[in-house]
Amino acid sequence: MLELVDESGNTIGTAEKLSAHQAPGQLHRAFSVFLFDEQGRLLLQQRALGKYHSPGVWSNTCCGHPYPGESPFAAAARRTHEELGLSPSLLAQAGTVRYNHPDPSSGLVEQEFNHLFVGLAQAAVHPDPEEVEATAFVSAEELAKRHAEVPFSAWFMTVLDAARPAIRELTGDAAGW
């Protein structure tokens, strides 16, 4: 179940996950995590090929939905560990962004009030193959090249751009984010 919200992010009910993503979509709470290594490189994940929504595309470190009543921070930490076998050594709130992104390949809609988090990954990654096909640490320059060559999630650039001020604060200007 997902937590439905109004335009201000106030909880207004719940809905089953798949039905909330079917067109035209229902506005619901979500989170996106961006973890960086000590060189300022972003940890990307390629979504598992068996996922019903956006399989095989590259995206940010971790994204998902809090359980109804669960804080976005707790959900972000929980899912990062479940998907990547990694607990961030630092995780900080980086604002929110609201968007509506249809996924042309699946027909599903991401209509989300998304809580953003940035942090550090200072341990080895052990992805769950049911969730993650592959991972990669990339610099800002490497990300631009990869983004031009392979498919990314429909929401990726929206959440990345919204998180950039916090990312720059975390990684410093030299990292190029």
Side-chain angles (χ1 to χ4, degrees):
M1 296 298 287
L2 303 182
E3 195 171 81
L4 301 179
V5 298
D6 64 17
E7 293 292 333
S8 299
N10 300 306
T11 302
I12 58 171
T14 60
E16 192 276 321
K17 184 177 177 180
L18 183 57
S19 69
H21 288 93
Q22 291 173 330
Q26 295 175 280
L27 183 59
H28 57 275
R29 193 173 311 285
F31 65 83
S32 290
V33 176
F34 296 86
L35 296 183
F36 295 82
D37 67 9
E38 293 173 355
Q39 289 78 47
R41 298 178 305 165
L42 172 60
L43 175 58
L44 295 176
Q45 74 156 273
Q46 182 183 24
R47 293 168 60 86
L49 299 176
K51 293 184 84 70
Y52 74 88
H53 188 4
S54 302
V57 301
W58 286 88
S59 200
N60 49 292
T61 307
C62 180
C63 51
H65 308 92
Y67 296 131
E70 181 182 30
S71 78
F73 183 90
R78 174 181 55 78
R79 285 302 294 163
T80 300
H81 186 264
E82 290 171 357
E83 289 187 12
L84 296 162
L86 170 71
S87 294
S89 57
L90 170 76
L91 191 62
Q93 294 183 34
T96 60
V97 63
R98 192 261 195 253
Y99 53 81
N100 183 350
H101 287 298
D103 178 20
S105 61
S106 69
L108 299 174
V109 177
E110 289 290 355
Q111 187 156 181
E112 297 184 330
F113 188 93
N114 197 308
H115 298 259
L116 307 170
F117 298 93
V118 299
L120 297 175
Q122 295 179 307
V125 178
H126 302 286
D128 175 353
E130 296 288 317
E131 298 288 339
V132 179
E133 189 69 25
T135 62
F137 279 98
V138 297
S139 67
E141 185 177 292
E142 291 165 339
L143 174 62
K145 184 177 186 311
R146 185 181 293 244
H147 191 262
E149 295 173 353
V150 299
F152 272 73
S153 64
W155 61 88
F156 177 75
M157 287 308 296
T158 300
V159 294
L160 176 63
D161 288 344
R164 277 186 200 274
I167 291 169
R168 286 188 196 110
E169 188 176 323
L170 177 72
T171 63
D173 292 334
W177 295 104

